[in-house]
Structure formats: structure tokens, C-alpha cells
Amino acid sequence: MAINDPIGDLITRLRNAQMRNHQVTSVPASRLRGWVLDVLADEGYIRGYSRVEKDGEQPVFEVELKYFDGAPVISKIQRVSKPGRRVYSSVKELTSVRNGLGISILSTPKGVMSDAAARAANVGGEVLCQVY
């Protein structure tokens, strides 16, 4: 099945798995999804992920979700830039998410990174999603 919005699919799978209190969920593997998962792992929103390859099947990422006192660490994750409406932001226009308690994940010319890393690298780009 073809997926038009791979990041939207990733976000939905994470959100659905956390609503059901799953410890691990699987997501079809791609480079872009891997980069977004790297940012989520570096910022502490997920425990980690691993790439699983089986014979005759497409590779998948097994994502280990993170919980604190029984509640998911990711309280809200939402897609900002969608296939029908792309949202770009310069480094000067980057706003903090929930007064610094959340992050924005950006796709920049220097790679996929959080808003804090984009400010440090002085680059802007497409705002993929916001997490808090």
C-alpha cells in the first residue's frame, strides 16, 4: 500500500500505540523516518529504535516507546507541514514550543534536527512536526 505522507503515518502509529500503552510499535523503515526517530531519541521522547529486516518483507523500525509514571512521555505530537500545505520557517521565525517544554522537528539543508539545533546551526527549513 502506497503512503503519501510517511511522517504523518509515523506520527499516527506512535500516537495510536501510546493510547493503547504498547511498549513497542513497528513502523515501515525509510531514511526520513529514521532521521525523525533519531531526533525523538536524542531529545528523550522515545527509548530508541532498531531496524528489523526479515526475508521477503520490507524492513521495519521497532520503536520502543517511553513512559513516565504510567503516562506517555509524548503528550501531544502533531504534523505541521502537510503534503497539501508545506510550512517553512527561517531561523529568525522559529518560535519555541510551549515555552521551551516541547520541540519542533525541522528538515533543513543540514539534515533533520530539532528547533534548538537549527537555531545553533543558524538554519531554517520545513517544520515537519511539533512534539510536547
Side-chain angles (χ1 to χ4, degrees):
M1 182 167 121
I3 297 173
N4 292 333
D5 186 13
I7 299 302
D9 178 59
L10 168 69
I11 290 169
T12 301
R13 286 175 189 252
L14 293 176
R15 193 181 308 123
N16 289 343
Q18 285 188 329
M19 283 193 308
R20 301 304 300 163
N21 291 324
H22 290 190
Q23 296 298 317
V24 178
T25 186
S26 64
V27 179
S30 71
R31 285 188 296 167
L32 181 60
R33 286 182 182 134
W35 295 330
V36 170
L37 289 172
D38 284 337
V39 173
L40 289 174
D42 290 343
E43 296 292 329
Y45 287 103
I46 60 173
R47 291 194 187 283
Y49 71 97
S50 61
R51 184 181 175 106
V52 177
E53 297 185 27
K54 296 180 182 174
D55 292 336
E57 295 181 16
Q58 285 189 332
V60 295
F61 289 132
E62 295 289 330
V63 182
E64 295 179 54
L65 302 174
K66 193 173 184 179
Y67 296 89
F68 180 74
D69 289 338
V73 172
I74 299 174
S75 62
K76 188 167 185 179
I77 182 168
Q78 62 184 5
R79 185 83 156 107
V80 176
S81 183
K82 300 175 182 176
R85 180 176 176 265
R86 299 292 184 188
V87 177
Y88 297 94
S89 180
S90 68
V91 69
K92 293 178 184 177
E93 296 170 352
L94 281 176
T95 58
S96 63
V97 178
R98 295 189 57 128
N99 292 328
L101 296 177
I103 63 165
S104 291
I105 299 178
L106 284 83
S107 175
T108 68
K110 294 186 178 181
V112 176
M113 59 182 70
S114 68
D115 56 348
R119 281 189 204 95
N122 198 27
V123 293
E126 182 181 355
V127 183
L128 298 176
C129 61
Q130 290 182 339
V131 184
Y132 50 91

